[in-house]
């Protein structure tokens, strides 16, 4: 090999090495791993886009439509990675069911048409959720009205399942509708039936107070809510607090409609505690009506009601434990949530220590702590029942006073 040939080969080697160096440098500069939006596992992108309006379709029908600041599509076209989503819409059978959707990050799947939306930027788990939307949970009669009738929602995560015509929400879910707000960890919405199944750490905020329960179902067409297990409603009216507990409750977004309480109903208000099989709470009239095996305890102003008192009321064999209290039984009992007064009707029986009186009706005045019995009034004296026009029982002073007795007026 001549000197000229050696020189030529050297030039070729140097050029090849230089080319490799250029390729390595170019790769480092254009590699998607340098972008904060593209991690190593996502380098299989086939297309990138910015400031785009995207839509997903199934058999010609629009499933979703979103505005995104930027995003990319995987090589197999299976997943669209979308960033800074806004003005999002989700459709069921070409009918809008989710509107005004916005979030930092979302994924749209081609094969299933499923869409996942995240309340925080990709890879982050901390910070306030920025996922917001409006859901169609309206009455059927308001279908053509504006979005103001739709429920406003916030959550950490949203997943739309077109095959099931459902949306799942999880993580610090908030659902706001009219005068009520629902907070929970999970909500599943059936768009076809307009029914929301609500689970885990449920709290309902109303104008008159707050409720908690184990399970909750919201029926959009009727704007009805059905709560189950460990119902606990705390109502505050004119600074007076009333606590109601039950096994089940049915109520409405419209607070002008009654709330029905069923099973082991309890009510605690100041110095009063009452139980019954069922109850009806009316916010407009400010009263709770208890029915079925009604029993109530009236304490002195200085006394403190305890949960054990409820168990004693339900235990027929614990009557003697309550002898030191003023105990009332009746067919029904109304507790007024604004005044603190109460009214018992039907087979009223009041006991206080060793004294007993019965009548058709009893009215309790919370200010004076007096129970006034009227209508077929009888007071037990020794072993006999003595008729009286009226019996006034002082919870505070622990006295019975009979007025208009057949024999005479007397006080025990």
């Amino acid at each position: 090999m001549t000197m000229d040939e050696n020189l030529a080969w050297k030039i070729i080697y140097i050029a090849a090495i230089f080319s490799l160096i250029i390729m390595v440098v170019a790769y480092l500069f254009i590699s998607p791993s340098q972008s904060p939006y593209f991690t190593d596992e996502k380098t299989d992108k086939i297309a990138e886009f910015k400031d785009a309006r995207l839509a997903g379709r199934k058999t010609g029908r629009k499933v979703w439509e979103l505005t995104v600041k930027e995003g990319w599509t995987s090589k197999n076209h299976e997943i669209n990675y979308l960033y800074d989503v806004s003005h999002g819409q989700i459709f069921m059978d070409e009918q809008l069911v989710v509107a005004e959707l916005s979030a930092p990050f979302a994924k749209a799947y081609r094969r299933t048409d499923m869409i996942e939306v995240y309340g925080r930027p990709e890879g982050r788990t901390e910070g306030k959720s920025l996922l917001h939307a409006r859901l169609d949970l309206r009455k059927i009669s308001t279908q053509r009205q504006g979005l103001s009738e739709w429920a406003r929602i916030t959550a950490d995560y949203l997943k739309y399942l077109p095959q099931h015509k459902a949306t799942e929400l999880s993580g610090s879910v908030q659902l706001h509708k009219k005068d009520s707000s629902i907070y929970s960890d999970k909500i599943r919405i059936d768009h076809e039936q307009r029914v929301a199944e609500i689970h885990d750490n449920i709290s309902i905020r109303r104008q008159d107070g707050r409720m908690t329960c184990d399970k909750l179902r919201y029926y959009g067409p009727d704007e009805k809510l059905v709560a189950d297990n460990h119902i606990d409603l705390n109502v505050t009216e004119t600074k007076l607090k009333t606590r109601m507990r039950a096994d089940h409750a049915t109520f409405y977004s419209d607070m002008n409609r009654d709330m029905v309480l069923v099973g082991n109903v309890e009510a605690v208000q100041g110095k009063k505690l009452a139980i019954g099989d069922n109850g009806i709470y009316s916010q407009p009239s400010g009263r709770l009506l208890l029915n079925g095996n009604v029993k109530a305890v009236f304490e002195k102003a200085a006394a403190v009601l305890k949960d054990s008192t409820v168990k004693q009321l339900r235990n027929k064999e614990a009557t003697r434990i309550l002898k030191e209290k003023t105990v009332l039984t009746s067919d029904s009992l109304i507790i007024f949530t604004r005044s603190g007064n109460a009214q018992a009707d039907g087979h009223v029986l009041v006991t206080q220590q060793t004294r007993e009186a019965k009548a058709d009706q009893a009215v309790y005045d919370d200010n004076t702590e007096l129970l006034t019995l009227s209508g077929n009034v009888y007071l037990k004296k020794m072993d006999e029942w003595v008729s009286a026009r009226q019996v006034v029982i002082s919870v505070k002073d622990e006295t019975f006073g009979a007025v208009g007795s057949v024999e005479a007026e007397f006080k025990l």
Side-chain angles (χ1 to χ4, degrees), residues 79-284:
I79 306 175
N80 289 301
Y81 293 84
L82 313 171
Y83 302 91
D84 290 333
V85 175
S86 62
H87 302 95
Q89 296 179 320
I90 297 176
F91 300 85
M92 179 196 71
D93 298 335
E94 298 185 314
Q95 180 181 352
L96 186 64
V97 292
V98 177
E100 297 182 0
L101 174 64
S102 62
F105 176 52
K107 289 192 228 177
Y109 297 81
R110 182 180 65 86
R111 184 175 299 176
T112 61
D113 295 308
M114 181 180 73
I115 184 166
E116 292 181 293
V117 186
Y118 300 82
R120 299 178 182 86
E122 184 181 14
R124 295 187 187 177
T125 57
E126 297 180 353
K128 184 179 179 180
S129 175
L130 299 176
L131 192 164
H132 305 284
R134 285 188 178 270
L135 290 170
D136 184 9
L137 286 172
R138 303 163 293 167
K139 291 182 179 179
I140 293 176
S141 61
T142 62
Q143 285 186 28
R144 291 188 173 90
Q145 294 184 9
L147 295 178
S148 61
E149 288 290 326
W150 290 37
R152 294 179 292 110
I153 65 107
T154 298
D156 292 343
Y157 173 76
L158 178 151
K159 177 163 62 175
Y160 177 59
L161 304 164
Q163 292 181 341
H164 300 284
K165 299 180 179 180
T167 293
E168 293 179 353
L169 302 162
S170 62
S172 302
V173 184
Q174 299 179 26
L175 191 153
H176 306 281
K177 189 104 168 47
K178 287 190 174 181
D179 298 326
S180 301
S181 295
I182 299 171
Y183 302 83
S184 73
D185 288 341
K186 294 179 183 178
I187 295 181
R188 181 183 172 91
I189 298 153
D190 183 329
H191 293 292
E192 195 167 37
Q193 301 296 324
R194 288 199 182 94
V195 174
E197 298 280 356
I198 303 163
H199 302 275
D200 299 347
N201 296 317
I202 300 168
S203 176
I204 305 156
R205 300 290 175 88
R206 296 160 41 102
Q207 279 188 330
D208 58 349
R210 176 177 176 268
M211 173 189 283
T212 59
C213 59
D214 291 347
K215 293 191 295 183
L216 183 68
R217 178 176 285 188
Y218 179 88
Y219 296 87
D222 299 321
E223 295 191 324
K224 180 175 73 173
L225 297 100
V226 177
D228 289 302
N229 302 334
H230 302 101
I231 312 303
D232 194 339
L233 173 62
N234 288 271
V235 170
T236 301
E237 300 262 25
T238 62
K239 297 183 179 181
L240 181 63
K241 295 181 179 180
T242 306
R243 184 179 185 182
M244 309 172 203
R245 290 188 281 196
D247 294 336
H248 310 280
T250 300
F251 54 105
Y252 297 83
S253 294
D254 182 0
M255 291 179 56
N256 289 315
R257 302 185 66 174
D258 292 345
M259 176 186 292
V260 177
L261 303 167
V262 178
N264 297 308
V265 180
E266 302 170 12
V268 178
Q269 184 195 73
K271 306 176 287 292
K272 300 180 292 297
L273 183 151
I275 63 172
D277 293 338
N278 305 298
I280 298 174
Y281 167 57
S282 171
Q283 192 277 333

